[in-house]
Amino acid sequence: EPEVTQTPSHQVTQMGQEVILRCVPISNHLYFYWYRQILGQKVEFLVSFYNNEISEKSEIFDDQFSVERPDGSNFTLKIRSTKLEDSAMYFCASFLPAPYGYTFGSGTRLTVV
Amino acid sequence: AQKVTQAQTEISVVEKEDVTLDCVYETRDTTYYLFWYKQPPSGELVFLIRRNSFDEQNEISGRYSWNFQKSTSSFNFTITASQVVDSAVYFCALSEPKDFGNEKLTFGTGTRLTIIP
């Protein structure tokens, strides 16, 4: 069964540093997403990406965040200058409309120190 | 705006007991999808079910069953004969299809289920 692959599984970074989280979505899927889960809390939508541009973003997704799909394969989330409150599990997902659906990656745990 | 409420924050039951996790949702759309995900201690999100708003039939998959009732905007999940491996956080989620099929998920706050051996 096709998978969404996220790397790294865990990243530790210093506050103020830039970090790039990587995802390889399922190749024939159309929509790509990033979600965030602060420890012990619910999973929250960050951004959706379709046809090489952002189709929707949440209030969380401010100017410090950006997404790219530079080579038609990888889908990246960049945080420009990390803050302590960016510490969370970040999930990538790819999606194909019904009858298929969502496939989530196993997540990247980001720790900002 | 869409909203998902999981009022039960934590539930503990003894192994082999049945347990029901509640989920209540709010949406203005007539077309929507409801989901349940399991998050074990390892942290990944494990897909359990996706149900569209036009299909109110209850579903059973092994020890798992789901009760969808539009009249009460609920999509409850029951585990029969619970096992220790069922211990996890369970999330209910809702999506409303937008243009060209985009489906952003709105998650509930989750229910932490602990099965006591």
Side-chain angles (χ1 to χ4, degrees):
Chain A
E1 189 172 324
E3 290 186 344
V4 174
T5 305
Q6 288 188 245
T7 54
S9 57
H10 190 185
Q11 180 150 0
V12 181
T13 189
Q14 286 202 323
M15 191 170 56
Q17 294 295 305
E18 175 183 286
V19 66
I20 297 175
L21 309 183
R22 290 185 164 79
C23 169
V24 180
I26 296 172
S27 59
N28 65 334
H29 280 198
L30 299 178
Y31 283 91
F32 310 106
Y33 300 83
W34 284 100
Y35 288 82
R36 180 182 84 174
Q37 183 185 28
I38 294 171
L39 187 62
Q41 298 187 22
K42 68 178 179 180
V43 180
E44 300 174 290
F45 167 77
L46 287 179
V47 65
S48 61
F49 193 82
Y50 171 73
N51 202 24
N52 284 319
E53 59 182 27
I54 291 174
S55 55
E56 187 175 357
K57 59 183 180 179
S58 72
E59 294 173 352
I60 303 168
F61 195 89
D62 61 21
D63 293 345
Q64 292 298 312
F65 291 89
S66 62
V67 289
E68 272 190 331
R69 195 159 185 247
D71 56 8
S73 173
N74 293 290
F75 178 49
T76 61
L77 174 69
K78 183 194 291 187
I79 309 175
R80 206 159 281 119
S81 176
T82 49
K83 307 177 194 132
L84 294 176
E85 54 265 36
D86 293 327
S87 294
M89 178 78 97
Y90 289 82
F91 290 103
C92 173
S94 70
F95 172 77
L96 199 59
Y100 304 99
Y102 263 80
T103 303
F104 278 93
S106 53
T108 293
R109 184 168 299 283
L110 176 67
T111 303
V112 182
V113 296
Chain B
Q2 51 193 13
K3 185 179 177 183
V4 176
T5 301
Q6 294 180 257
Q8 304 152 308
T9 306
E10 295 191 28
I11 301 176
S12 294
V13 299
V14 176
E15 194 173 20
K16 295 184 186 171
E17 288 185 353
D18 299 349
V19 59
T20 295
L21 308 183
D22 297 334
C23 173
V24 174
Y25 62 92
E26 294 177 29
T27 177
R28 293 180 185 160
D29 284 10
T30 55
T31 302
Y32 51 90
Y33 294 90
L34 295 163
F35 300 75
W36 276 95
Y37 284 89
K38 173 182 179 180
Q39 188 174 46
S42 50
E44 73 272 24
L45 290 170
V46 178
F47 170 82
L48 296 178
I49 190 171
R50 178 178 190 252
R51 173 55 55 87
N52 78 56
S53 53
F54 299 107
D55 182 2
E56 285 194 74
Q57 282 194 339
N58 291 334
E59 178 151 345
I60 298 174
S61 176
R63 296 185 296 107
Y64 296 170
S65 62
W66 291 269
N67 183 357
F68 177 26
Q69 291 198 337
K70 281 174 93 166
S71 60
T72 55
S73 296
S74 65
F75 187 46
N76 296 337
F77 172 34
T78 298
I79 301 174
T80 304
S82 59
Q83 299 175 3
V84 172
V85 293
D86 296 326
S87 296
V89 180
Y90 289 85
F91 290 97
C92 181
L94 166 73
S95 74
E96 298 166 337
K98 302 297 182 193
D99 296 342
F100 306 109
N102 183 14
E103 287 190 32
K104 171 184 81 174
L105 289 178
T106 298
F107 284 81
T109 50
T111 297
R112 180 177 299 279
L113 176 64
T114 302
I115 308 300
I116 303 164

